[in-house]
Amino acid sequence: MKVLVAVDGSKYGRWTVEWVRRLPLVSPPQVAALHVVDTASLRAPFVVQPVIVGNERFIQAEIQRLEAQSVKVLAETETQLKALKLDGEVASEEGAAATTLLKRAPKRNGLVVLGSRGLGALDRFLLGSVSTQVVLHAPTSVLVVKEAPRTIKRVLLAIDGSDSAEKAIKFVLKELTPNSKGNPEILVTHAMQFLKYPELKEAGQAMIEKAARRLEKVGFVVEPIQRLGQPADEILKVAESHKADLIIVGAKGLGAIARFFLGSVSQKIVQHSHCSVLVVR
């Protein structure tokens, strides 16, 4: 699998590389670590123009700082890749962070890994929205890192019967190995809103059990969990109560109207989850 990893010198940036090493992938990933130097943000629309207040020299000094930081980040990332025995290359590129990452992202059957936050107050304002933009627009799956890396013992797989949920199931079947150290348990979860029709609850339970059988067939340990309530809220509650190390969810839900409601489920999970989230396309 081709994996694009966003690095920026923050602890989240370092965690992204370590998370790639911790993922129980079937085959070793081909890593491309990218540090984006976003000098354009220094002259964002909300910044007073330098010709008016004469602060161009301060902007140039900040550009030099960012370029020097980039050299340091690349060197640290190369050392980190070698220490983790990951096969990969390291590069820097100038441009808007989200746009550059989207441009360099694998076109399909790949993964983009980035932290949920970056460096400093202004950086957090700018980079905090980067993960949102990448999750919404990336052509491939995206892992948003929320916490320090750990051995992945419990994965929450959220499904809803949609094509996106099917892609999430296939991602687990194809890309993750049940024979890795620790043999991660899969929590297959379906959450539906309160409805008066019991047959819908039965259909939801049947959907979970079918997915569980597919995963058990290849060797995963599976626990089916059905919940009633707002989908995103219930998924987050399950992740919290069962101490999930990773949430895997499809990028979109069912149908045009359902996408209005469910399309925001993955985004809400990314925003509010305490653990890292992998959004599958």
Side-chain angles (χ1 to χ4, degrees), residues 11-226:
K11 65 180 181 181
Y12 287 90
R14 291 187 292 273
W15 290 349
T16 57
V17 180
E18 295 181 41
W19 262 92
V20 174
R21 185 68 181 84
R22 295 277 186 160
L23 287 173
L25 297 174
V26 171
S27 57
Q30 299 176 12
V31 180
L34 180 65
H35 179 236
V36 181
V37 183
D38 189 0
T39 58
S41 64
L42 299 174
R43 294 188 175 89
F46 54 84
V47 177
V48 178
Q49 292 301 311
V51 293
I52 298 176
V53 296
N55 62 352
E56 178 64 21
R57 65 190 179 94
F58 297 106
I59 290 178
Q60 289 301 322
E62 182 64 11
I63 290 174
Q64 291 177 9
R65 184 191 70 82
L66 291 175
E67 291 173 344
Q69 179 189 22
S70 180
V71 173
K72 181 181 178 182
V73 170
L74 295 182
E76 290 176 346
T77 304
E78 285 183 352
T79 300
Q80 190 179 20
L81 287 173
K82 290 179 181 178
L84 295 171
K85 298 181 180 179
L86 286 172
D87 180 24
E89 58 183 25
V90 179
S92 66
E93 189 168 333
E94 186 172 328
T99 302
T100 304
L101 289 171
L102 290 170
K103 182 178 67 175
R104 291 286 302 273
K107 299 306 177 186
R108 61 177 183 174
N109 300 327
L111 183 65
V112 177
V113 184
L114 74 166
S116 59
R117 293 189 180 184
L119 285 164
L122 177 60
D123 288 326
R124 278 199 298 273
F125 175 79
L126 297 167
L127 292 175
S129 64
V130 170
S131 59
T132 300
Q133 293 181 57
V134 173
V135 167
L136 288 173
H137 302 294
T140 191
S141 301
V142 179
L143 170 61
V144 179
V145 171
K146 295 291 196 79
E147 296 180 309
R150 64 181 73 177
T151 299
I152 300 175
K153 298 180 180 179
R154 193 168 288 110
V155 175
L156 192 159
L157 173 62
I159 63 175
D160 63 0
S162 67
D163 290 340
S164 290
E166 176 62 20
K167 289 179 181 178
I169 295 171
K170 288 182 177 178
F171 181 93
V172 175
L173 290 170
K174 180 182 177 181
E175 303 295 350
L176 303 188
T177 172
N179 298 317
S180 63
K181 185 178 180 181
N183 194 17
E185 177 185 10
I186 308 295
L187 309 173
V188 182
T189 305
H190 171 59
M192 61 183 298
Q193 298 185 29
F194 293 99
L195 297 171
K196 297 180 180 180
Y197 307 100
E199 58 268 24
L200 290 179
K201 182 178 180 180
E202 294 172 3
Q205 185 63 37
M207 177 178 62
I208 294 175
E209 292 174 355
K210 181 180 178 180
R213 287 194 297 270
R214 293 169 65 186
L215 293 163
E216 289 171 341
K217 188 175 180 180
V218 300
F220 284 105
V221 175
V222 182
E223 179 181 352
I225 302 174
Q226 186 174 24

